[in-house]
Amino acid sequence: MTQRIVQLAVAQMGPVQRSDSRDSVVKRLIAMLHTAHARGARWVVFPELALTTFFPRWDLRDQAEIDSFYETSMPSAATEPLFTAAKQLGMGFYLGYGEIDGERRFNTSILVGPDGRIIGKYRKIHIPGDAVTQNSAPIQHLEKKYFAVGDLGFPVWQTDDAKIGMCICNDRRWPETWRVMGLQGIELGMVGYNTPSGYVQWDEPIHLRMHHHLLSLQAAAYQNACWIAAAGKSGVEEGAHMIGGSCIVAPTGEIMAKTLGEGDEVISFDCDMAIGDNYRANIFHFARHRRPEHYGLLVERTGAGDPLGKEPQ
Amino acid sequence: MTQRIVQLAVAQMGPVQRSDSRDSVVKRLIAMLHTAHARGARWVVFPELALTTFFPRWDLRDQAEIDSFYETSMPSAATEPLFTAAKQLGMGFYLGYGEIDGERRFNTSILVGPDGRIIGKYRKIHIPGDAVTQNSAPIQHLEKKYFAVGDLGFPVWQTDDAKIGMCICNDRRWPETWRVMGLQGIELGMVGYNTPSGYVQWDEPIHLRMHHHLLSLQAAAYQNACWIAAAGKSGVEEGAHMIGGSCIVAPTGEIMAKTLGEGDEVISFDCDMAIGDNYRANIFHFARHRRPEHYGLLVERTGAGDPLGKEPQ
């Protein structure tokens, strides 16, 4: 089996406070870009909403302040130096940010090629949390207030190095996300996230947040025979803690690299895309083993409905 | 949150050799049934093809010998004592066996209620392996030779204790299996398996067999907010080793009980069905968060096709 190595890095970010300027954040991203390059990486994955604090934790009312958390163009003046540095180094990257498109607002990521071209754009589809404040908790999760449901599907892009797909944060918990990309032959998935360690809706034991994050990525990588690179924004932002655990997962479902801390931290791994071929050719040879004639409910129902089981005649 | 406890047991089986009689195997099942009852269990899960050795490892040619591995009725004369004992103890169970239905042969499981009634039947849909011998390996995996694809879908049955679904072995690796049941509100999934530690198609490191088994179950339980009880036939059958790792997994994705060895072994846990309600009401509130309009490929494609990504305009 001929190796097909993609030199990959994940750039986890420590917290971004409300007062941090775009310029200061982009400087941090560029510093990690250089670290990744020094490790030999050709691609680097940055977090979801990487340019600002995770503002959906607040029920903001000042429209000007709300607008300040989104980008109206990409690259923007503030992010241009990141694009320029990456192109000079011949590196591609994934970057998450809040996008304003006319009247619509999306939780968006872009895939930028080593040549500096924007190869692809993804808009988050599985928007978690609520549209209105739920209770008196100081930390809310109001993504449904700030973002429309993505309208670009779950595409996979054929690049010179690999078939690359993107998703964002909560998307990673949904097997539908990964299977739709698996059915396009995804070899490398990139995902940015901001995952609060507390949960506003119920008292889930905090240790489960990391468990569910890693479990979802490992299962998705195994079941779709792809590598997954996940970059989180981590640590305490404005008094709210978010998990770290940025990682690179192999098609074996094993974690090959993981961050140690909750600050700005670069991890890297030389990922052999050919590892997935064995799974695609055998246990997960979809054409031989999948049975869509029995999967109809996946698209016929949105929410859970009645059990269909009948007693045998 | 009011608890809804289902007292559950998993009965792992050690090997069943070619020469072992049905009667001797059923005696072992009944012995474990009594052990489970002594632990307070009301339901017990037995393995896939529990009544015989895992014959798909061989490319058999003698039709009479092949037929000897299937049941033509259920209960059969040999299994009647198991049904009788379970009814007397007021226990329900899951049992896997080879089924002959006219000209068709299936890898089947039944769900028998504590009242002795057969509540449901499932026929394995994701048939792994091959229809013809692949190479000179002494251990083959020829399920496609011996079993037709199941024709009963993935139903969930509303019982007095819980909404229960069934699948078999390789089905557990496919997220489609669990999501179709999740969309019927499954609270408890039962799965039997026979998982060879070696793999005929390629040199996968052996430790990954257990990793993929547990990973698939834990992700399925978490992503569908259900308990999962998995019972394997384990140890060395006719010179071929199969993994153990029979377990009970919670909707948190955590393993709450697991077998220690590779022989006949009963594990049990008092499973609170209400644990799943938090997940169904929040992070996995399907009606609020799923977006089937973006899932079309799941049923439009069987095998993997071309990437759909286009450069943004």
Side-chain angles (χ1 to χ4, degrees):
Chain A
M1 186 172 66
T2 311
Q3 285 192 329
R4 291 185 287 124
I5 301 294
V6 173
Q7 295 170 299
L8 183 66
V10 164
Q12 175 176 281
M13 298 178 69
V16 174
Q17 307 304 337
R18 202 166 185 166
S19 61
D20 294 342
S21 69
R22 290 280 200 294
D23 291 347
S24 69
V25 172
V26 170
K27 281 190 174 64
R28 288 164 59 183
L29 299 181
I30 292 172
M32 290 198 283
L33 182 77
H34 282 284
T35 302
H37 182 260
R39 301 258 193 88
R42 177 170 162 86
W43 294 88
V44 58
V45 179
F46 295 115
E48 170 194 36
L49 299 174
L51 303 174
T52 69
T53 197
F54 188 71
F55 63 94
R57 72 172 64 95
W58 298 306
D59 191 354
L60 302 170
R61 302 303 168 95
D62 179 329
Q63 192 57 49
E65 182 182 25
I66 293 172
D67 292 348
S68 72
F69 291 107
Y70 297 81
E71 313 301 309
T72 52
S73 67
M74 187 57 65
S76 57
T79 54
E80 184 63 54
L82 173 64
F83 281 72
T84 301
K87 184 175 180 178
Q88 285 171 349
L89 296 172
M91 292 180 66
F93 63 92
Y94 165 113
L95 178 70
Y97 62 97
E99 176 192 14
I100 290 183
D101 178 16
E103 292 304 301
R104 306 181 303 164
R105 289 144 192 272
F106 298 101
N107 188 336
T108 298
S109 65
I110 48 170
L111 181 65
V112 179
D115 61 358
R117 219 174 64 253
I118 295 179
I119 296 172
K121 175 187 282 191
Y122 170 73
R123 290 166 167 169
K124 186 176 185 175
I125 285 172
H126 296 101
I127 308 290
D130 309 288
V132 295
T133 295
Q134 292 304 293
N135 50 38
S136 60
I139 306 302
Q140 295 290 317
H141 198 107
L142 299 172
E143 283 194 60
K144 287 188 194 297
K145 166 187 169 94
Y146 293 110
F147 302 113
V149 172
D151 60 347
L152 301 177
F154 298 103
V156 167
W157 289 269
Q158 175 70 70
T159 73
D160 295 341
D161 292 358
K163 297 188 180 98
I164 299 178
M166 296 189 280
C167 67
I168 300 176
C169 198
N170 182 51
D171 287 316
R172 74 197 189 284
R173 306 178 190 274
W174 297 79
E176 294 90 342
T177 299
W178 299 102
R179 184 64 94 220
V180 169
M181 295 193 285
L183 287 165
Q184 298 170 69
I186 185 173
E187 295 173 311
L188 170 58
M190 299 178 172
V191 51
Y193 61 94
N194 288 257
T195 299
S197 56
Y199 199 85
V200 63
Q201 278 96 345
W202 86 95
D203 299 330
E204 181 180 66
I206 286 179
H207 76 276
L208 290 176
R209 305 298 287 164
M210 179 64 74
H211 173 60
H212 294 158
H213 159 65
L214 296 176
L215 177 61
S216 298
L217 295 176
Q218 291 180 266
Y222 166 59
Q223 293 172 332
N224 295 283
C226 63
W227 289 83
I228 295 178
K233 185 143 57 62
S234 173
V236 180
E237 276 190 0
E238 301 291 339
H241 179 264
M242 300 184 294
I243 65 169
S246 301
C247 56
I248 297 174
V249 181
T252 61
E254 295 176 296
I255 298 166
M256 311 315 289
K258 191 161 81 71
T259 51
L260 193 61
E262 298 184 335
D264 289 11
E265 181 177 349
V266 175
I267 56 172
S268 60
F269 198 83
D270 285 358
C271 304
D272 180 4
M273 296 297 116
I275 292 292
D277 295 343
N278 276 332
Y279 293 91
R280 277 182 288 269
N282 295 290
I283 189 89
F284 291 122
H285 189 304
F286 292 164
R288 292 187 62 224
H289 301 309
R290 291 184 78 247
R291 299 297 172 203
E293 66 271 25
H294 293 299
Y295 303 157
L297 230 51
L298 299 177
V299 291
E300 292 158 12
R301 287 185 179 181
T302 299
D306 293 336
L308 302 177
K310 302 274 176 287
E311 290 199 17
Q313 302 313 312
Chain B
M1 186 173 61
T2 311
Q3 286 192 328
R4 291 184 287 125
I5 301 295
V6 173
Q7 295 169 297
L8 184 66
V10 164
Q12 175 176 283
M13 298 178 70
V16 173
Q17 307 304 338
R18 203 166 184 165
S19 62
D20 294 342
S21 69
R22 291 278 200 293
D23 292 347
S24 69
V25 171
V26 170
K27 281 189 174 66
R28 288 164 59 183
L29 299 181
I30 292 172
M32 291 199 282
L33 182 77
H34 282 284
T35 301
H37 182 260
R39 301 257 192 87
R42 178 171 160 86
W43 295 87
V44 58
V45 179
F46 295 114
E48 170 194 35
L49 299 174
L51 303 174
T52 69
T53 197
F54 187 71
F55 63 93
R57 72 172 64 96
W58 299 305
D59 191 354
L60 302 170
R61 302 304 169 93
D62 178 328
Q63 193 56 50
E65 181 182 24
I66 293 171
D67 292 348
S68 72
F69 292 107
Y70 297 82
E71 313 301 309
T72 52
S73 67
M74 187 59 64
S76 56
T79 54
E80 184 62 55
L82 173 65
F83 281 72
T84 302
K87 185 175 179 178
Q88 285 171 350
L89 296 172
M91 292 180 66
F93 63 92
Y94 165 112
L95 178 69
Y97 62 97
E99 176 191 15
I100 291 183
D101 178 15
E103 291 305 299
R104 306 181 305 164
R105 290 143 190 274
F106 298 103
N107 188 336
T108 298
S109 65
I110 49 170
L111 181 65
V112 179
D115 61 359
R117 216 174 66 256
I118 295 178
I119 295 172
K121 176 187 281 192
Y122 170 73
R123 289 167 168 168
K124 187 176 185 177
I125 285 172
H126 297 100
I127 308 290
D130 308 289
V132 294
T133 296
Q134 291 304 293
N135 50 38
S136 60
I139 306 302
Q140 295 289 317
H141 199 106
L142 299 172
E143 284 193 60
K144 286 190 193 306
K145 166 188 169 94
Y146 293 109
F147 303 113
V149 172
D151 59 347
L152 302 177
F154 298 102
V156 168
W157 289 269
Q158 175 69 71
T159 73
D160 296 342
D161 293 358
K163 297 189 180 93
I164 299 179
M166 295 189 280
C167 66
I168 300 176
C169 199
N170 183 50
D171 286 319
R172 74 198 190 282
R173 306 178 189 274
W174 296 81
E176 294 90 342
T177 299
W178 299 102
R179 184 64 95 222
V180 169
M181 295 193 284
L183 287 164
Q184 299 169 69
I186 185 173
E187 295 173 312
L188 170 58
M190 299 179 172
V191 50
Y193 61 96
N194 288 257
T195 299
S197 55
Y199 199 83
V200 64
Q201 279 96 344
W202 86 93
D203 300 330
E204 181 180 66
I206 286 178
H207 77 275
L208 290 176
R209 305 298 286 165
M210 179 64 74
H211 174 60
H212 294 157
H213 158 66
L214 297 175
L215 176 61
S216 298
L217 295 175
Q218 291 180 266
Y222 166 59
Q223 293 172 331
N224 295 283
C226 64
W227 289 82
I228 295 178
K233 186 142 57 61
S234 173
V236 180
E237 275 190 0
E238 302 291 337
H241 178 263
M242 300 185 295
I243 64 169
S246 301
C247 57
I248 297 173
V249 181
T252 60
E254 296 176 296
I255 297 166
M256 310 316 288
K258 192 161 79 72
T259 51
L260 192 61
E262 299 184 336
D264 289 10
E265 182 177 348
V266 176
I267 56 173
S268 60
F269 198 83
D270 286 358
C271 305
D272 181 4
M273 296 298 116
I275 292 292
D277 295 343
N278 276 333
Y279 291 92
R280 277 182 289 269
N282 294 289
I283 189 93
F284 291 122
H285 190 302
F286 291 164
R288 291 186 62 223
H289 300 309
R290 290 185 79 244
R291 300 297 172 201
E293 66 272 25
H294 293 298
Y295 304 158
L297 229 50
L298 299 178
V299 291
E300 292 159 13
R301 286 185 179 180
T302 299
D306 292 336
L308 301 177
K310 302 273 177 285
E311 290 199 16
Q313 301 313 313

